[in-house]
Amino acid sequence: MSPPSRRVASRPGGRPRRLAEPQRVAVRAAADGRPEEIDGCTVDAVRESWLVEDRWWTDMPLRRRYWEVVTADGRNLVAFRDLVRGRWFRHR
């Protein structure tokens, strides 16, 4: 089975780049999985959390727990934990 296609946009110079590519982050989480710190910045509030499960019928299932948070420095972030691999990421 071939991997899923990804949308790309052009960079200056015509080189393609992936849209909304998640970036790895370091997260300290509470026992219930709620992020308490993201890349060294304290999480002041959790606005929302949701679970995404997709492609469960394929060799590449997707299971993610998303967290929309407000950090101590006032930023709004969306971070997720890849529940298949146990890694944390954030979207730009």
Side-chain angles (χ1 to χ4, degrees):
M1 178 176 276
S2 63
S5 63
R6 300 197 188 265
R7 297 183 329 179
V8 296
S10 293
R11 291 182 181 171
R15 294 176 300 161
R17 69 174 171 83
R18 292 181 185 188
L19 297 176
E21 187 72 23
Q23 297 175 336
R24 291 282 307 262
V25 291
V27 173
R28 182 175 52 83
D32 63 359
R34 179 181 43 83
E36 295 179 328
E37 189 176 278
I38 299 175
D39 276 344
C41 193
T42 302
V43 172
D44 275 353
V46 172
R47 290 184 165 204
E48 189 176 3
S49 176
W50 64 96
L51 179 66
V52 173
E53 294 182 290
D54 196 11
R55 300 191 313 239
W56 51 267
W57 61 92
T58 72
D59 292 336
M60 296 176 60
L62 182 133
R63 278 191 86 228
R64 297 175 176 175
R65 168 63 66 181
Y66 282 83
W67 299 87
E68 181 180 355
V69 302
V70 179
T71 60
D73 61 2
R75 291 181 296 154
N76 294 311
L77 298 176
V78 175
F80 68 88
R81 183 163 191 252
D82 179 334
L83 299 174
V84 174
R85 293 173 184 81
R87 298 177 186 150
W88 282 90
F89 297 86
R90 75 173 174 90
H91 284 287
R92 289 189 256 178

